[in-house]
């Protein structure tokens, strides 16, 4: 996936008249090139607050961090501090029926429509942008090609092409209006997390002075836990999933796989939900993302891209030649949600392994005063409980009993675990409004 970080340089390749045999990144001079404008938007026929994202491709050749535009990252889900967002622009969507929708900048580079609106079938739209330095851009005409209704979403036990056993998620749909032949699928998955060593009790440390003499002073209690041990994490899709109606522009879609999850993936350990959105694309948009997908399969993205292979549908109003990255779409959408439990597909099997080391330990409760100035010998004991509780890195699991932790070198009165294994740190503790258990 590191190859995807180089997508900025695709624009540079377009300027070359023939194929590139070799691309020497060390020859790029920041003074010779300016960062390209990146325009991203998926405008829909839903009555929602529409969003437009503006940023600049980075010229920094940092191959270890995602500082370069990456079209495979879903809109709005990338860490904005890793992208050079483009603020201060004026953004409008104009319809050929006279409609005009103004956008206001929220977070830097994220522009929200002033009021919810839905694209209408049969109306042509353009995205109109004026940057803060007064350069004007406009998109090609955009139209909603059609609308297709998701009729079913379901999961089945399956084996993928790599021989891995797991759960495959499929959708069916049928056309409703317009021409519905090309589709892109995006999803948002939410899963319940139950730490494997959660307890009904927790430590309470007060009056802790690690520098007190002759010994640290503190008050350590085991009290009933006040917070939840269950939490929920929500993650957006980070891959391009496309499909087409093989029978033609108005054919049903049946058995389109949108997600495969291996049986050892901890996200399905308990209860899992996925919200799938089907987007009806134009032929041009479908081709754009299909081409991006094909590039991602190559071992050498530079040697495989031919000049003009990727077409961005936003350009300068004055006709000046300037490379603009990204793509703007007008789509008809439909979505459905699915829930399932691990035991629905793998009954009486062990749950997938938790993705963190959760070894039990029994450290000593206290430690030598930080301000003790006398002689000390080697200390074979791990960091004490009160130090770890003060740092927030452990959780109470149980009271110590003989042989409960065979590896303990200096057993104390309690058995503890890394905090991530006992408390819910991987998601939000509030139950999502849409969540249902059965």
């Amino acid at each position: 996936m590191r190859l995807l970080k180089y997508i900025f340089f695709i624009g540079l390749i377009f300027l070359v008249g023939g194929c590139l045999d070799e691309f020497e990144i060390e020859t790029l001079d920041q003074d010779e090139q300016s960062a390209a404008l990146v325009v991203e938007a998926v405008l829909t026929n839903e009555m929602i607050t529409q969003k437009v994202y503006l940023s600049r491709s980075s010229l920094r050749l940092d191959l270890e961090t995602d500082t370069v535009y990456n079209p495979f990252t879903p809109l709005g889900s990338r860490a904005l501090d890793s992208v050079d967002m483009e603020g201060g622009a004026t953004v409008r969507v104009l319809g050929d029926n006279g409609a005009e929708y103004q956008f206001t900048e929220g977070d830097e580079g994220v522009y929200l429509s002033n009021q919810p609106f839905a694209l209408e079938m049969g109306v042509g739209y353009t995205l109109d942008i004026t940057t803060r330095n007064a350069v004007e851009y406009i998109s090609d005409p955009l139209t909603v090609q059609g609308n297709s209704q998701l009729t079913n979403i379901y999961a089945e036990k399956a084996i993928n092409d790599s021989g891995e056993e797991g759960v495959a998620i499929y959708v069916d749909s049928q056309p409703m209006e317009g021409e519905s032949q090309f589709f892109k699928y995006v999803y948002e998955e939410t899963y319940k997390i139950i730490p494997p060593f959660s307890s009904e009790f927790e430590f309470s440390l007060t009056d802790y002075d690690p520098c007190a003499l002759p010994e640290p002073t503190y008050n350590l209690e085991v009290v009933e836990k006040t917070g939840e041990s269950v939490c929920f994490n929500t993650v957006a899709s980070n891959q391009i999933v496309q499909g087409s109606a093989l029978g033609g522009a108005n054919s049903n879609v049946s058995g389109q796989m949108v997600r495969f999850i291996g049986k050892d993936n901890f996200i399905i350990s308990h209860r899992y939900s996925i919200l799938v959105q089907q987007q009806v694309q134009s032929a041009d948009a479908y081709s754009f993302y299909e081409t991006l997908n094909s590039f991602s399969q190559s071992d050498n993205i530079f040697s495989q891209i031919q000049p003009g292979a990727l077409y961005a549908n936003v350009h300068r109003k004055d006709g000046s030649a300037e490379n603009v990255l990204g793509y703007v779409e007008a789509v008809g959408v439909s979505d459905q949600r699915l829930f399932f439990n691990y035991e629905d597909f793998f009954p009486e099997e062990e749950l997938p392994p938790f993705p963190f080391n959760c070894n039990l330990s029994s450290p000593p409760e206290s430690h030598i005063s930080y301000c003790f100035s006398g002689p000390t010998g080697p200390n074979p004991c791990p960091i004490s409980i009160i130090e770890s509780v003060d740092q927030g890195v452990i959780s109470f699991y149980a009271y110590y009993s003989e042989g409960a932790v065979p590896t303990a070198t200096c057993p104390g009165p309690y058995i503890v675990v890394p905090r991530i294994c006992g408390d819910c740190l991987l998601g939000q503790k509030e139950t999502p409004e849409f969540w249902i258990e059965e």
Side-chain angles (χ1 to χ4, degrees):
M1 297 300 290
R2 181 175 295 181
L3 294 174
L4 302 181
K5 300 176 184 177
Y6 306 148
I7 197 69
F8 159 63
F9 299 110
I10 291 173
L12 302 180
I13 296 173
F14 295 162
L15 302 179
V16 181
C19 299
L20 279 180
D21 295 324
E22 184 176 357
F23 184 81
E24 299 181 3
I25 62 175
E26 65 269 19
T27 64
L28 182 63
D29 187 336
Q30 183 162 345
D31 294 333
E32 298 173 1
Q33 300 290 339
S34 60
L37 179 68
V38 180
V39 184
E40 305 170 275
V42 177
L43 306 173
T44 78
N45 64 344
E46 295 177 290
M47 183 60 68
I48 61 172
T49 298
Q50 309 285 347
K51 297 180 181 180
V52 175
Y53 297 84
L54 301 181
S55 58
R56 291 282 175 178
S57 58
S58 176
L59 295 180
R60 292 168 297 190
L61 299 182
D62 183 351
L63 305 186
E64 298 300 324
T65 60
D66 285 319
T67 57
V68 176
Y69 164 60
N70 180 352
F72 291 83
T73 304
L75 299 179
S77 64
R78 63 170 61 89
L80 297 185
D81 60 359
S82 70
V83 177
D84 296 330
M85 302 304 293
E86 178 78 1
T90 300
V91 176
R92 302 181 298 165
V93 169
L94 307 175
D96 61 14
N97 61 350
E100 179 175 334
Y101 303 102
Q102 300 281 347
F103 286 66
T104 299
E105 188 173 10
D107 292 333
E108 185 181 16
V110 181
Y111 298 83
L112 310 175
S113 60
N114 290 353
Q115 69 274 342
F117 71 92
L119 301 188
E120 298 179 28
M121 188 79 68
V123 177
Y125 297 91
T126 54
L127 177 64
D128 186 278
I129 300 166
T130 303
T131 61
R132 59 187 169 191
N133 58 353
V135 180
E136 297 181 328
Y137 300 83
I138 193 167
S139 73
D140 293 343
L142 308 167
T143 57
V144 177
Q145 299 295 306
N147 193 29
S148 180
Q149 182 68 39
L150 284 176
T151 57
N152 193 21
I153 179 171
Y154 53 99
E156 294 181 354
K157 194 172 180 179
I159 296 177
N160 67 10
D161 294 340
S162 301
E164 180 184 12
E165 187 177 17
V167 178
I169 298 166
Y170 303 92
V171 296
D172 302 333
S173 69
Q174 63 181 24
M176 300 298 291
E177 58 180 334
E179 293 190 358
S180 303
Q181 183 174 3
F182 301 106
F183 308 93
K184 184 173 67 175
Y185 297 90
V186 296
Y187 58 81
E188 192 174 82
E189 52 189 352
T190 302
Y191 48 92
K192 178 191 283 189
I193 303 170
I194 303 176
F197 292 94
S198 61
S199 169
E200 297 179 357
F201 300 93
E202 62 184 356
F203 289 119
S204 173
L205 178 66
T206 57
D207 302 324
Y208 177 43
D209 182 358
C211 206
L213 291 170
E215 297 177 342
T217 57
Y218 63 93
N219 182 22
L220 181 68
E221 297 179 280
V222 176
V223 299
E224 190 171 344
K225 183 176 288 186
T226 56
E228 292 290 333
S229 292
V230 175
C231 57
F232 302 84
N233 195 30
T234 298
V235 180
S237 53
N238 62 356
Q239 57 184 321
I240 296 173
V241 180
Q242 291 181 284
S244 61
L246 298 179
N250 289 304
S251 299
N252 292 345
V253 172
S254 179
Q256 171 69 51
M257 188 172 77
V258 297
R259 177 80 163 106
F260 178 86
I261 310 171
K263 65 174 293 187
D264 291 331
N265 192 327
F266 93 105
I267 70 174
I268 59 173
S269 296
H270 301 287
R271 188 158 178 79
Y272 170 92
S273 177
I274 185 170
L275 177 66
V276 176
Q277 182 179 88
Q278 177 181 261
Q279 301 175 352
V280 178
Q281 294 185 292
S282 67
D284 288 341
Y286 183 88
S287 177
F288 177 88
Y289 284 99
E290 186 178 44
T291 303
L292 279 179
N293 240 353
S294 67
F295 290 163
S296 73
Q297 308 304 317
S298 169
D299 288 336
N300 187 339
I301 191 169
F302 300 118
S303 67
Q304 297 299 317
I305 299 173
Q306 301 300 315
L310 276 177
Y311 172 74
N313 61 349
V314 178
H315 52 270
R316 287 272 293 263
K317 272 189 178 182
D318 61 11
S320 300
E322 179 182 327
N323 186 47
V324 180
L325 300 179
Y327 203 84
V328 180
E329 288 190 84
V331 300
V333 301
S334 175
D335 51 48
Q336 275 199 21
R337 181 177 291 280
L338 172 71
F339 289 86
F340 65 80
N341 296 330
Y342 188 78
E343 61 186 16
D344 294 338
F345 298 97
F346 308 104
E348 300 180 2
E349 294 194 33
E350 289 188 10
L351 295 179
F354 197 63
F356 298 93
N357 188 334
C358 290
N359 290 336
L360 301 177
S361 62
S362 181
E365 181 174 313
S366 187
H367 58 86
I368 297 174
S369 171
Y370 288 179
C371 294
F372 178 73
S373 58
T376 58
N379 183 7
C381 300
I383 185 173
S384 70
I385 286 178
I386 56 175
E387 290 173 291
S388 295
V389 171
D390 185 57
Q391 296 169 13
V393 297
I394 62 169
S395 292
F396 173 87
Y397 179 63
Y399 290 95
Y400 182 78
S401 59
E402 190 67 30
V405 186
T407 58
T409 55
C410 308
Y414 308 107
I415 299 174
V416 301
V417 292
R419 191 178 171 201
I420 201 167
C421 303
D423 292 326
C424 216
L425 303 180
L426 298 178
Q428 302 297 320
K429 294 186 178 180
E430 296 78 17
T431 303
E433 292 183 3
F434 61 81
W435 193 262
I436 56 176
E437 283 297 328
E438 296 297 339

